[in-house]
Amino acid sequence: MRPIPFLLAFLLLPVRDAFKIPDLRFRETFPLIERAETTENEALFFDMPLDHFGNTSGTFMNRYWINDTYYKPGGPVFLFDSGEQNAEPLLPYYLQEYHGLSATMQLAKRYGGLAILWEHRFYGDSLPFPVNDNTTTAQWQFLTTDQALEDVVYFANAFTLPASANKTSGSEIPNPVHPSITPWVWLGGSYPGVRGALLRVRNPETIFAVWASSAPVHAQIDMAAYYKAAERSLTRNCSADWVAVTKFVDETLQNGTTQQQAEMKFRLLKARLDGPGGNDTGSEGLTVQEAANVSDVDAAGVLMDPLNFYQYYGFQASVLPFCNNLETRNFTALPLESGLAAAHGEETALDAFLTAVAELNYDAIPGDPDDPVQDRSWMWQYCSEYGFYQRGDPSNPLSIETSFRSLQLFQQQCNETFGAGLPTSPQVDHVNKYGGWNMTPSNVLFTNGEFDPWRTMGLASIESNSPQRTPSVAVPACDTAPEFPSFFGLTHANMVHVSDMRVLLTPDANHTDFKTVGFYSPISQEPFYSGLGLFQLALDEWLPCFGKDSNAAAMRQEALSV
């Protein structure tokens, strides 16, 4: 448990510091693997233009890695995108298959391909400018969807094999890995999956095929649907009590007396600070007066603590233990089908809820701290272009999220963090111009988890305002878009976020807690094998047709004549 003074100081911070959006970023916050445990693989750097579209000059060094273990002349390039995070900790797992298998390397092995791990601008060591509180909005203007997509296009057209990987000695082809000569295949999950889908729409001459896992391709400011996916996975009694407790807390904080509001905040914060077995030493320094100074949104946010790891572990592994404790009143009674609130009232349900929060002690689960560069860069991206404001929806009778998390609060956080120069609201049209929910790219596999909160913004969305599209596992013909509303895809039953990009076969120290997870399912190995198998079937169909259309043939001839 955190020391009392630190936690209270945190809770009393301004909104922009204390209130955080659940992000797309995978929890791949692994410490670096010891050099002796993996094959040496030094980072490479590419001189990237700062501005691909304007008159601003200057470049920065964009970091990437390659693995040519399986490369054979003529083989595809498989690019794995790390997205909105430092890419270096991913290297052993995705390019070296440390303690498991990765889709990228398995595909490189099958097709004799070259594997690349790519780092996104403004993350890791690919920084045009230092990222901190002093980064100006004039500098943030170069972190846009289109600038970052064009980075990949520019790189693909300029990239040449390093001497160690060039196995085409004597060949007349000046650049055998140019995208007009050999297919470039993109792999990415979540935001990197979005990027792959956008590139296939935007630059099909550069990116030939894509596997987009858990990709929320439709940008939307209002993402009240985020927690709908979680609610749908709950047992009915747990859902009923969660809804009732949330409404009871919100009502008290909105309309209760000053004393009732202070006491409610005290109860909420005390539950977060206390530990299992009735251990209340963590909350010894907390007073009702101190609790009264905590904002409504931060106090009510305690009710969301049991969902801290839902995005990766799903209901059974991360939420079911909480629901079991709640519905049995800390295992002192039999659960009721109707739930506690319906049978005994909201106060009884709230008491049981807060006891379960204390017993599970989510705040004490160990893990690495967030990366301030990643957090701030991704915040700029969602504040400026993506939105995804995961607000509470008081009009939804099944809402399990506090209504204090409003659209206005999210925008306030963005405005306080970046100030003048930030758009007045996220410019989601910068993303949705490529099709959003209605995109129909060819040569793209979309995979999703049934209960992934980000599925709500993907092609497999079942939200009322989405087009209600249906995935099909029938492999489409090469360069042929499936007929709308169908799309080529697979939904993994009972799975959540990005459950299929790799599989862990030997647990290690980096996989011992909830906070170090991502790009794979920690609860099932099946999604990796089913997703990889389907994508391999697709590539078997698509790769033989590469370069056969007239435009590709002309580009190929131009590249050969350089």
Side-chain angles (χ1 to χ4, degrees):
M1 288 172 285
R2 289 173 177 161
I4 290 292
F6 175 85
L7 180 63
L8 288 178
F10 172 78
L11 290 172
L12 293 170
L13 284 173
V15 168
R16 68 183 180 88
D17 294 316
F19 176 55
K20 263 179 87 171
I21 188 172
D23 58 28
L24 284 114
R25 179 168 55 84
F26 309 107
R27 304 299 298 190
E28 293 278 23
T29 53
F30 300 142
L32 296 179
I33 303 300
E34 292 292 333
R35 175 72 70 183
E37 295 186 58
T38 58
T39 304
E40 186 171 345
N41 192 327
E42 296 295 338
L44 303 172
F45 288 88
F46 182 84
D47 199 28
M48 184 70 70
L50 173 64
D51 184 4
H52 293 285
F53 311 113
N55 298 317
T56 303
S57 60
T59 62
F60 68 96
M61 302 307 292
N62 208 128
R63 186 166 60 162
Y64 68 100
W65 294 259
I66 68 169
N67 186 331
D68 65 342
T69 300
Y70 304 117
Y71 177 67
K72 297 177 183 177
V77 174
F78 294 99
L79 188 148
F80 181 81
D81 183 50
S82 67
E84 68 282 30
Q85 63 186 305
N86 176 3
E88 188 172 8
L90 310 189
L91 177 65
Y93 293 99
Y94 297 98
L95 233 56
Q96 299 175 330
E97 298 194 307
Y98 178 73
H99 284 186
L101 304 174
S102 79
T104 307
M105 293 311 302
Q106 289 301 300
L107 292 169
K109 183 176 182 180
R110 179 182 176 96
Y111 298 103
L114 177 74
I116 296 177
L117 171 62
W118 180 254
E119 187 167 76
H120 193 294
R121 64 166 56 198
F122 280 82
Y123 295 93
D125 277 354
S126 300
L127 301 179
F129 311 99
V131 171
N132 51 46
D133 289 343
N134 298 319
T135 309
T136 67
T137 50
Q139 294 169 329
W140 283 122
Q141 300 302 319
F142 297 104
L143 177 54
T144 68
T145 295
D146 279 323
Q147 291 282 5
L149 293 178
E150 193 63 23
D151 285 344
V152 178
V153 175
Y154 190 92
F155 172 76
N157 283 298
F159 173 71
T160 57
L161 287 170
S164 60
N166 196 335
K167 304 172 185 180
T168 59
S169 180
S171 169
E172 296 180 357
I173 301 176
N175 184 6
V177 291
H178 189 273
S180 65
I181 304 296
T182 196
W184 281 56
V185 179
W186 179 283
L187 294 96
S190 197
Y191 172 57
V194 173
R195 281 162 47 77
L198 300 189
L199 279 166
R200 182 60 192 160
V201 173
R202 181 182 187 270
N203 302 98
E205 76 288 349
T206 303
I207 300 300
F208 176 72
V210 171
W211 178 1
S213 176
S214 295
V217 295
H218 182 78
Q220 186 170 287
I221 296 174
D222 184 349
M223 197 183 173
Y226 180 89
Y227 287 107
K228 284 184 180 180
E231 192 283 326
R232 283 190 284 261
S233 74
L234 299 176
T235 55
R236 291 305 87 190
N237 53 1
C238 189
S239 170
D241 283 332
W242 209 318
V243 170
V245 166
T246 299
K247 291 184 182 302
F248 180 48
V249 169
D250 282 4
E251 173 65 21
T252 301
L253 295 181
Q254 287 170 342
N255 300 315
T257 66
T258 301
Q259 185 62 29
Q260 287 172 331
Q261 293 171 349
E263 289 175 353
M264 177 62 77
K265 290 180 180 181
F266 176 81
R267 293 169 68 185
L268 291 164
L269 298 175
K270 184 177 187 302
R272 177 179 280 171
L273 292 166
D274 287 345
N279 183 349
D280 60 0
T281 57
S283 62
E284 285 179 351
L286 181 66
T287 67
V288 175
Q289 290 72 25
E290 287 173 326
N293 292 324
V294 173
S295 71
D296 292 338
V297 66
D298 286 326
V302 172
L303 302 181
M304 306 309 297
D305 284 1
L307 290 173
N308 281 351
F309 310 104
Y310 173 85
Q311 179 170 305
Y312 309 99
Y313 282 82
F315 170 71
Q316 186 169 354
S318 69
V319 184
L320 181 58
F322 169 81
C323 286
N324 286 341
N325 190 296
L326 163 62
E327 295 306 321
T328 63
R329 285 181 270 184
N330 200 17
F331 305 102
T332 63
L334 292 175
L336 302 172
E337 185 175 352
S338 64
L340 294 171
H344 301 293
E346 295 160 330
E347 272 288 354
T348 298
L350 176 60
D351 283 340
F353 193 105
L354 297 181
T355 297
V357 168
E359 288 297 315
L360 273 295
N361 202 10
Y362 292 97
D363 206 43
I365 294 174
D368 295 323
D370 288 339
D371 183 325
V373 171
Q374 293 173 173
D375 291 346
R376 189 165 290 268
S377 292
W378 175 241
M379 187 178 183
W380 170 263
Q381 290 194 259
Y382 74 71
C383 289
S384 63
E385 292 186 319
Y386 285 87
F388 295 143
Y389 293 172
Q390 290 129 20
R391 71 176 178 96
D393 184 4
S395 66
N396 174 16
L398 297 178
S399 179
I400 60 175
E401 184 179 14
T402 173
S403 60
F404 289 110
R405 292 171 66 99
S406 65
L407 295 179
Q408 293 75 18
L409 188 65
F410 278 102
Q411 193 60 54
Q412 176 189 345
Q413 181 194 38
C414 290
N415 294 341
E416 289 180 358
T417 300
F418 297 108
L422 179 74
T424 55
S425 63
Q427 306 298 291
V428 296
D429 57 304
H430 292 182
V431 182
N432 293 335
K433 66 184 179 182
Y434 296 113
W437 272 329
N438 296 311
M439 66 165 52
T440 55
S442 61
N443 297 7
V444 179
L445 170 66
F446 292 94
T447 57
N448 290 276
E450 180 184 6
F451 295 120
D452 179 10
W454 292 99
R455 176 190 176 190
T456 59
M457 295 295 109
L459 294 193
S461 175
I462 58 174
E463 301 312 308
S464 59
N465 63 325
S466 76
Q468 308 284 316
R469 299 179 66 176
T470 53
S472 170
V473 294
V475 178
C478 178
D479 291 330
T480 302
E483 186 174 350
F484 189 92
S486 178
F487 66 92
F488 179 45
L490 174 68
T491 300
H492 302 295
N494 298 315
M495 290 292 104
V496 275
H497 198 53
V498 191
S499 56
D500 49 16
M501 290 274 97
R502 69 178 175 99
V503 63
L504 183 70
L505 299 178
T506 305
D508 59 45
N510 289 334
H511 297 85
T512 56
D513 64 70
F514 280 144
K515 294 183 181 177
T516 53
V517 124
F519 288 128
Y520 86 107
S521 169
I523 58 175
S524 176
Q525 297 175 333
E526 181 181 345
F528 170 80
Y529 293 105
S530 57
L532 178 62
L534 184 56
F535 195 53
Q536 287 175 344
L537 288 175
L539 291 181
D540 287 346
E541 173 75 19
W542 299 337
L543 288 175
C545 84
F546 173 77
K548 290 188 176 179
D549 66 85
S550 57
N551 289 335
M555 289 178 61
R556 178 182 176 89
Q557 188 58 44
E558 180 180 350
L560 288 171
S561 63
V562 172

